[in-house]
Amino acid sequence: MIISFQHPWAIAILYSDEVHCSGSILSESYVLTAAHCFQDEGICLDKTKMTIVSGSSDPASPIPGKKRKFVQKRKVDDVKIHPLSESPAANFDLAIIKIDRPFTFRNSRWPICLPEEAQPRAIHSLRGYTLVGFGRDINKESQGSVLTDLNLNVQPTGACSSKYSRILNDELNDFHYLIKNTLPNNFDDDSLICASVPGKTSGSCPGDSGGIFMSNQWKSDLEDHRAIQTAVVHGAAKRCDGGRYPPIFVRIDKKEALEWINSIVSNDSG
């Protein structure tokens, strides 16, 4: 992963002052992340211990005085879980946080764009996207939880199903029960996609959950590119290694996801 300062829509969710999950700014008052960020083995986490940090590439470290004006920290006011989410399953693993005070926008802090309309899952096959999150690479002791990005290609649904069926069909596999709960219907749930770079082991890491899967798209009406979020990071069987089992993402350009997000965020005056 490459340390990045080019994603002002990325936020970190700290839990007891440590990076817990990632997310994206939708508006002055709302943040998108993963529903499973609010549970630990079925137990609800204490939201009062969570802090939303925007504008920082290293949110768990002390903010230098000269950078404090670029960073805003907020607490959780409310959390809405997608009505079709059934934790710990990945299908519709989506949550929207309402923060206690609105963000003020500037170059270091800005909302990401949402898809304009729902799309069929097949449209993403073999396309390249960027994973953006605050995941910590467990294979590198010296690397903390800093903002990173990773280029991945969405794999055909058949490839995703085939790779994960190896785990689902083998009760002796170390990841069998984890993936059985995560993918009870394998990739038959079309809110899900997987992505990787064949031949490489790059994957999502702890802290990337709830993070951004995006691309920069040309908008002819604006005569400019815009960062558009396609999905939310769920995770993978093996942390920081997507070689055999690609990271799993939850699409937000599925009708039931996009309409739900818009119904909440559209009430925000911003």
Side-chain angles (χ1 to χ4, degrees):
M1 283 187 168
I2 302 170
I3 296 177
S4 173
F5 303 94
Q6 304 302 315
H7 302 292
W9 32 79
I11 61 94
I13 302 174
L14 306 187
Y15 189 77
S16 297
D17 298 324
E18 294 186 358
V19 171
H20 171 62
C21 279
S22 301
S24 56
I25 298 175
L26 298 179
S27 71
E28 287 97 333
S29 299
Y30 290 102
V31 168
L32 179 65
T33 187
H36 77 264
C37 291
F38 299 92
Q39 290 192 354
D40 183 11
E41 297 184 353
I43 299 174
C44 292
L45 297 177
D46 185 351
K47 300 179 188 64
T48 65
K49 294 182 179 180
M50 294 184 178
T51 303
I52 313 300
V53 182
S54 66
S56 173
S57 61
D58 189 7
S61 298
I63 308 299
K66 62 181 180 181
K67 292 187 177 181
R68 287 178 184 170
K69 63 181 179 180
F70 299 107
V71 180
Q72 285 188 336
K73 296 184 178 183
R74 297 290 186 262
K75 303 299 289 184
V76 176
D77 178 63
D78 188 30
V79 176
K80 295 187 183 298
I81 304 297
H82 195 284
L84 296 178
S85 173
E86 295 182 2
S87 182
N91 195 33
F92 290 104
D93 179 25
L94 301 171
I96 293 177
I97 300 171
K98 183 178 182 181
I99 55 178
D100 62 340
R101 291 177 293 128
F103 290 128
T104 56
F105 291 152
R106 57 181 301 153
N107 289 341
S108 63
R109 185 170 46 257
W110 198 255
I112 198 165
C113 294
L114 296 177
E116 294 179 355
E117 58 185 6
Q119 299 283 356
R121 175 166 63 173
I123 198 172
H124 302 296
S125 182
L126 301 179
R127 287 189 177 183
Y129 294 87
T130 302
L131 186 165
V132 180
F134 291 86
R136 180 179 184 277
D137 192 337
I138 60 173
N139 300 312
K140 298 179 181 179
E141 293 182 4
S142 61
Q143 181 163 334
S145 297
V146 295
L147 181 60
T148 54
D149 55 29
L150 175 66
N151 294 324
L152 299 171
N153 299 323
V154 173
Q155 298 302 302
T157 302
C160 301
S161 297
S162 176
K163 288 180 178 293
Y164 277 98
S165 67
R166 298 171 191 171
I167 301 177
L168 292 167
N169 295 332
D170 181 6
E171 292 188 3
L172 298 180
N173 189 291
D174 291 341
F175 303 115
H176 175 75
Y177 291 103
L178 169 66
I179 298 304
K180 185 177 181 180
N181 289 329
T182 300
L183 299 173
N185 302 309
N186 205 336
F187 276 82
D188 290 344
D189 293 316
D190 83 343
S191 76
L192 304 178
I193 52 178
C194 80
S196 64
V197 177
K200 295 187 178 182
T201 60
S202 305
S204 60
C205 292
D208 284 328
S209 292
I212 302 166
F213 199 52
M214 56 155 280
S215 61
N216 285 300
Q217 301 179 21
W218 175 258
K219 293 299 177 182
S220 57
D221 55 331
L222 300 174
E223 297 185 345
D224 201 358
H225 286 87
R226 286 291 183 272
I228 298 178
Q229 183 169 357
T230 293
V232 165
V233 181
H234 174 77
K238 194 171 183 181
R239 297 183 296 177
C240 301
D241 185 351
R244 294 182 65 189
Y245 308 115
I248 301 164
F249 301 86
V250 184
R251 292 199 297 129
I252 63 172
D253 62 355
K254 183 172 171 60
K255 182 175 181 289
E256 294 88 340
L258 191 58
E259 289 184 352
W260 174 73
I261 295 170
N262 284 330
S263 70
I264 296 171
V265 179
S266 63
N267 291 326
D268 184 2
S269 61

